Amino acid sequence: MKIFITRVIPDRGVNLLRHAGHTVDINPEDRVLSHDELILSLQKDAYGAVLCDLDDKIDPAVLDAAGPQCKIFANYAVGYDNLDLPAMAQRGIAATNTPGVLTNAVAEHALGLLLGIAHRIPEADRYTRAGKFTSWGPTLLLGSDVSGRTLGIVGLGRIGSRVAHHAARGFDMPIVYYDVKRSEEFEKSYRAAYRKNVDDVFAEADYISIHVPLLPTTRHLVDASRLALMKKSAYLINTSRGAVIDETALVAALQNGAIRGAALDVYEHEPALTPGLADLENVILTPHIASATEETRQAMSEIAAQNILAVLDGRIPPNVIKG
Ligand code: GLV
Ligand code: GLV
């Protein structure tokens, strides 16, 4: 079979596909293909499978360009808001993602952002590099404590639970959480309290970390009214999807001091930043790299390939997404 990969990825999965006897074509340029370019690339050959990533919008036009012999789009990501699942189901095309292998990396990044914004680490780094460090100071760059402060988790999936685990075990942080599903087992294992109204998490927490998928119901879940519920001393951390936050409202809240700071790995209009965001000192901005460790990106490559191999063998792929 011929397989198309929309972007250069770490090689482990590519090698698996080639060793299984498949021909693999990879977008030769290390950049996102435009919608038109993706369509043209898929029309060039009769691909049986496509390995795509979160920047590829897989809509009916792309699916039609891939043709009826194409059996799977394996997303190189855990999030899959870029896939039109009903259109895929209608054409009998499988959709898969890469859950599990990136849980630790993303949770570590979320905690890194939390510690970094609380202790003002990137801001302090800029200060030091700029030659401003002239003496130790009792009031120099004061941040906020983390240990013992309340962590709000919005979305208690694999990643949200892992962040809560580290925060509770490592920093004695009491946890308040919201999810569509309550987990009493989680509550017993940690000092965690469920809030059936997400507003209560926003009102109570000192740090809020977002771990929901992007869905019609979670778009702008963090809007001006929820930001207004937050303590003035609280911080917002987002490693999920940018559009979960109304970024214009967030910039206003940060400018007005309605909240203390924010640390973001994802953006509403990615890769563009809402005007004003990058001018603020009380933010950390990373370029959607929460899962970007060597080990994790190789593991994602491997499981995306395994999903493809399963479908091409007529098996149910390990990470099939049920639409
Ligand atoms: C990255 O954002 C992912 O969904 O894997
Ligand atoms: C994704 O892996 C999640 O469940 O948080």
Side-chain angles (χ1 to χ4, degrees):
M1 271 289 185
K2 300 202 80 172
I3 297 163
F4 185 71
I5 304 185
T6 63
R7 188 81 191 259
V8 174
I9 58 168
D11 60 2
R12 198 184 293 162
V14 182
N15 294 337
L16 271 179
L17 295 170
R18 290 197 168 125
H19 287 154
H22 300 294
T23 304
V24 181
D25 290 346
I26 305 175
N27 163 18
E29 291 174 69
D30 188 18
R31 64 172 179 83
V32 184
L33 294 171
S34 70
H35 191 250
D36 286 347
E37 288 171 327
L38 178 56
I39 287 174
L40 285 174
S41 305
L42 293 176
Q43 285 170 338
K44 276 199 193 123
D45 219 320
Y47 294 108
V50 178
L51 198 160
C52 57
D53 72 47
L54 54 91
D55 280 321
D56 302 315
K57 195 171 159 45
I58 308 305
D59 60 8
V62 170
L63 297 170
D64 291 341
Q69 80 296 329
C70 183
K71 294 294 174 239
I72 174 172
F73 276 70
N75 216 32
Y76 185 76
V78 68
Y80 47 81
D81 46 280
N82 59 311
L83 305 179
D84 183 338
L85 297 177
M88 295 180 74
Q90 201 179 32
R91 289 164 178 77
I93 301 177
T96 62
N97 65 340
T98 62
V101 291
L102 47 58
T103 302
N104 278 330
V106 178
E108 288 165 11
H109 196 80
L111 283 155
L113 291 174
L114 189 158
L115 294 170
I117 195 68
H119 283 258
R120 300 172 67 171
I121 293 172
E123 185 186 351
D125 177 86
R126 289 191 290 275
Y127 177 93
T128 308
R129 285 169 196 272
K132 294 182 186 166
F133 180 30
T134 52
S135 77
W136 178 85
T139 58
L140 178 62
L141 286 165
L142 300 186
S144 296
D145 277 344
V146 171
S147 296
R149 309 295 294 279
T150 299
L151 175 64
I153 297 280
V154 179
L156 193 77
R158 296 178 192 81
I159 298 169
S161 323
R162 196 75 188 142
V163 171
H165 166 88
H166 291 311
R169 294 280 192 267
F171 299 102
D172 299 318
M173 297 180 84
I175 310 290
V176 291
Y177 78 100
Y178 168 81
D179 193 278
V180 286
K181 261 197 344 245
R182 181 171 176 183
S183 167
E184 286 173 25
E185 199 183 308
F186 171 80
E187 289 161 35
K188 274 191 224 119
S189 305
Y190 301 96
R191 278 166 68 196
Y194 180 62
R195 297 289 178 258
K196 65 175 182 294
N197 187 339
V198 71
D199 288 351
D200 295 334
V201 174
F202 280 84
E204 288 174 46
D206 298 304
Y207 297 87
I208 296 174
S209 193
I210 309 292
H211 300 286
V212 291
L214 179 61
L215 299 166
T217 49
T218 61
R219 184 173 293 275
H220 285 195
L221 179 145
V222 185
D223 58 6
S225 65
R226 294 227 163 89
L227 289 163
L229 293 173
M230 288 175 67
K231 299 178 185 175
K232 272 175 119 70
S233 56
Y235 297 85
L236 181 67
I237 295 120
N238 189 15
T239 51
S240 64
R241 283 292 179 268
V244 173
I245 297 178
D246 176 345
E247 213 167 87
T248 303
L250 175 63
V251 169
L254 290 163
Q255 285 169 341
N256 304 334
I259 68 171
R260 178 97 193 257
L264 310 174
D265 186 50
V266 288
Y267 305 91
E268 184 171 4
H269 307 291
E270 211 168 296
L273 303 180
T274 293
L277 189 59
D279 303 325
L280 294 162
E281 284 289 0
N282 55 339
V283 296
I284 300 178
L285 308 173
T286 56
H288 204 151
I289 54 160
S291 70
T293 66
E294 298 266 354
E295 300 87 343
T296 293
R297 289 287 168 85
Q298 283 288 11
M300 289 166 65
S301 174
E302 181 172 346
I303 79 165
Q306 281 165 348
N307 282 311
I308 289 176
L309 291 174
V311 167
L312 297 183
D313 280 355
R315 289 179 284 120
I316 297 188
N319 307 109
V320 67
I321 301 165
K322 293 173 194 92

